[in-house]
Short mmCIF file of all heavy atoms in Angstrom, two decimals:
data_model
loop_
_atom_site.label_atom_id
_atom_site.label_comp_id
_atom_site.label_asym_id
_atom_site.label_seq_id
_atom_site.Cartn_x
_atom_site.Cartn_y
_atom_site.Cartn_z
N GLY A 1 3.55 24.89 -5.46
CA GLY A 1 4.74 25.23 -4.69
C GLY A 1 4.74 26.68 -4.26
O GLY A 1 4.19 27.56 -4.91
N SER A 2 5.39 26.92 -3.13
CA SER A 2 5.46 28.28 -2.59
C SER A 2 6.86 28.55 -2.05
O SER A 2 7.03 29.09 -0.97
CB SER A 2 4.42 28.48 -1.49
OG SER A 2 4.60 27.52 -0.46
N GLY A 3 7.84 28.07 -2.80
CA GLY A 3 9.22 28.25 -2.34
C GLY A 3 9.68 27.21 -1.36
O GLY A 3 10.77 27.33 -0.79
N SER A 4 8.89 26.17 -1.13
CA SER A 4 9.26 25.14 -0.18
C SER A 4 10.39 24.30 -0.76
O SER A 4 10.46 24.03 -1.96
CB SER A 4 8.06 24.24 0.12
OG SER A 4 8.45 23.13 0.89
N ARG A 5 11.27 23.86 0.12
CA ARG A 5 12.39 23.02 -0.29
C ARG A 5 12.07 21.54 -0.08
O ARG A 5 12.94 20.70 -0.20
CB ARG A 5 13.65 23.40 0.49
CG ARG A 5 14.06 24.85 0.31
CD ARG A 5 15.20 25.22 1.25
NE ARG A 5 16.44 24.52 0.90
CZ ARG A 5 17.53 24.51 1.67
NH1 ARG A 5 17.51 25.14 2.84
NH2 ARG A 5 18.62 23.86 1.29
N HIS A 6 10.81 21.26 0.26
CA HIS A 6 10.41 19.88 0.55
C HIS A 6 10.03 19.18 -0.76
O HIS A 6 8.90 18.71 -0.93
CB HIS A 6 9.25 19.87 1.53
CG HIS A 6 9.15 18.60 2.30
ND1 HIS A 6 8.24 18.40 3.30
CD2 HIS A 6 9.86 17.44 2.21
CE1 HIS A 6 8.39 17.18 3.80
NE2 HIS A 6 9.36 16.58 3.15
N VAL A 7 10.98 19.09 -1.68
CA VAL A 7 10.71 18.51 -2.99
C VAL A 7 10.52 17.00 -2.91
O VAL A 7 10.00 16.38 -3.84
CB VAL A 7 11.87 18.83 -3.97
CG1 VAL A 7 11.94 20.31 -4.25
CG2 VAL A 7 13.20 18.33 -3.41
N SER A 8 10.95 16.41 -1.79
CA SER A 8 10.82 14.95 -1.67
C SER A 8 9.37 14.50 -1.70
O SER A 8 9.08 13.36 -2.07
CB SER A 8 11.49 14.48 -0.38
OG SER A 8 10.92 15.10 0.75
N LEU A 9 8.43 15.39 -1.35
CA LEU A 9 7.01 15.02 -1.40
C LEU A 9 6.57 14.76 -2.83
O LEU A 9 5.77 13.84 -3.09
CB LEU A 9 6.16 16.13 -0.77
CG LEU A 9 6.34 16.33 0.74
CD1 LEU A 9 5.48 17.49 1.24
CD2 LEU A 9 5.98 15.05 1.49
N LEU A 10 7.06 15.57 -3.76
CA LEU A 10 6.73 15.34 -5.17
C LEU A 10 7.34 14.03 -5.66
O LEU A 10 6.73 13.30 -6.44
CB LEU A 10 7.23 16.51 -6.02
CG LEU A 10 6.47 17.83 -5.87
CD1 LEU A 10 7.15 18.92 -6.69
CD2 LEU A 10 5.02 17.67 -6.30
N ILE A 11 8.56 13.75 -5.23
CA ILE A 11 9.22 12.50 -5.63
C ILE A 11 8.46 11.30 -5.06
O ILE A 11 8.28 10.28 -5.73
CB ILE A 11 10.69 12.48 -5.17
CG1 ILE A 11 11.44 13.68 -5.74
CG2 ILE A 11 11.37 11.18 -5.59
CD1 ILE A 11 12.86 13.79 -5.24
N LEU A 12 7.99 11.43 -3.81
CA LEU A 12 7.18 10.36 -3.21
C LEU A 12 5.89 10.17 -3.98
O LEU A 12 5.45 9.03 -4.20
CB LEU A 12 6.89 10.69 -1.75
CG LEU A 12 6.01 9.69 -1.00
CD1 LEU A 12 6.65 8.31 -0.98
CD2 LEU A 12 5.73 10.17 0.42
N LEU A 13 5.27 11.29 -4.40
CA LEU A 13 4.04 11.19 -5.20
C LEU A 13 4.32 10.44 -6.49
O LEU A 13 3.52 9.57 -6.90
CB LEU A 13 3.51 12.59 -5.50
CG LEU A 13 2.27 12.65 -6.42
CD1 LEU A 13 1.09 11.92 -5.80
CD2 LEU A 13 1.91 14.11 -6.73
N ALA A 14 5.45 10.74 -7.14
CA ALA A 14 5.81 10.03 -8.37
C ALA A 14 6.00 8.54 -8.10
O ALA A 14 5.54 7.69 -8.89
CB ALA A 14 7.09 10.63 -8.95
N ALA A 15 6.67 8.21 -6.99
CA ALA A 15 6.89 6.80 -6.65
C ALA A 15 5.56 6.08 -6.44
O ALA A 15 5.38 4.95 -6.91
CB ALA A 15 7.75 6.70 -5.40
N LEU A 16 4.62 6.72 -5.75
CA LEU A 16 3.32 6.10 -5.49
C LEU A 16 2.52 5.92 -6.78
O LEU A 16 1.88 4.89 -6.99
CB LEU A 16 2.54 6.94 -4.49
CG LEU A 16 3.12 7.02 -3.07
CD1 LEU A 16 2.31 7.99 -2.20
CD2 LEU A 16 3.16 5.64 -2.43
N VAL A 17 2.56 6.94 -7.64
CA VAL A 17 1.83 6.85 -8.91
C VAL A 17 2.42 5.74 -9.78
O VAL A 17 1.69 4.90 -10.34
CB VAL A 17 1.88 8.20 -9.66
CG1 VAL A 17 1.33 8.05 -11.08
CG2 VAL A 17 1.09 9.25 -8.90
N TYR A 18 3.75 5.69 -9.87
CA TYR A 18 4.39 4.66 -10.68
C TYR A 18 4.12 3.26 -10.10
O TYR A 18 3.92 2.30 -10.85
CB TYR A 18 5.90 4.89 -10.75
CG TYR A 18 6.30 6.10 -11.57
CD1 TYR A 18 7.45 6.83 -11.25
CD2 TYR A 18 5.55 6.50 -12.66
CE1 TYR A 18 7.82 7.94 -12.00
CE2 TYR A 18 5.91 7.61 -13.41
CZ TYR A 18 7.06 8.33 -13.07
OH TYR A 18 7.42 9.41 -13.82
N ALA A 19 4.15 3.16 -8.76
CA ALA A 19 3.89 1.86 -8.14
C ALA A 19 2.47 1.39 -8.43
O ALA A 19 2.24 0.22 -8.77
CB ALA A 19 4.13 1.96 -6.62
N ALA A 20 1.51 2.31 -8.29
CA ALA A 20 0.12 1.96 -8.56
C ALA A 20 -0.07 1.56 -10.03
O ALA A 20 -0.73 0.55 -10.33
CB ALA A 20 -0.79 3.13 -8.20
N LEU A 21 0.53 2.32 -10.93
CA LEU A 21 0.41 2.01 -12.36
C LEU A 21 1.12 0.69 -12.69
O LEU A 21 0.61 -0.13 -13.45
CB LEU A 21 1.00 3.14 -13.20
CG LEU A 21 0.18 4.42 -13.29
CD1 LEU A 21 0.98 5.53 -13.95
CD2 LEU A 21 -1.13 4.18 -14.05
N GLY A 22 2.30 0.51 -12.10
CA GLY A 22 3.07 -0.71 -12.38
C GLY A 22 2.33 -1.96 -11.95
O GLY A 22 2.33 -2.97 -12.67
N LEU A 23 1.70 -1.91 -10.79
CA LEU A 23 0.97 -3.08 -10.29
C LEU A 23 -0.35 -3.26 -11.03
O LEU A 23 -0.82 -4.39 -11.20
CB LEU A 23 0.71 -2.93 -8.79
CG LEU A 23 1.95 -2.92 -7.89
CD1 LEU A 23 1.56 -2.63 -6.45
CD2 LEU A 23 2.69 -4.25 -7.97
N TRP A 24 -0.97 -2.16 -11.45
CA TRP A 24 -2.28 -2.25 -12.10
C TRP A 24 -2.17 -2.69 -13.56
O TRP A 24 -2.99 -3.47 -14.04
CB TRP A 24 -2.99 -0.89 -12.03
CG TRP A 24 -4.25 -0.84 -12.82
CD1 TRP A 24 -5.41 -1.54 -12.60
CD2 TRP A 24 -4.49 -0.05 -14.01
NE1 TRP A 24 -6.35 -1.24 -13.55
CE2 TRP A 24 -5.81 -0.33 -14.43
CE3 TRP A 24 -3.72 0.84 -14.72
CZ2 TRP A 24 -6.36 0.28 -15.56
CZ3 TRP A 24 -4.28 1.46 -15.85
CH2 TRP A 24 -5.59 1.17 -16.25
#
């Protein structure tokens, strides 16, 4: 991070990781 307010990207990363783990 560099002071960006685009925190939704991290939340999207969490959603993708959880989805991949959940299905796998």
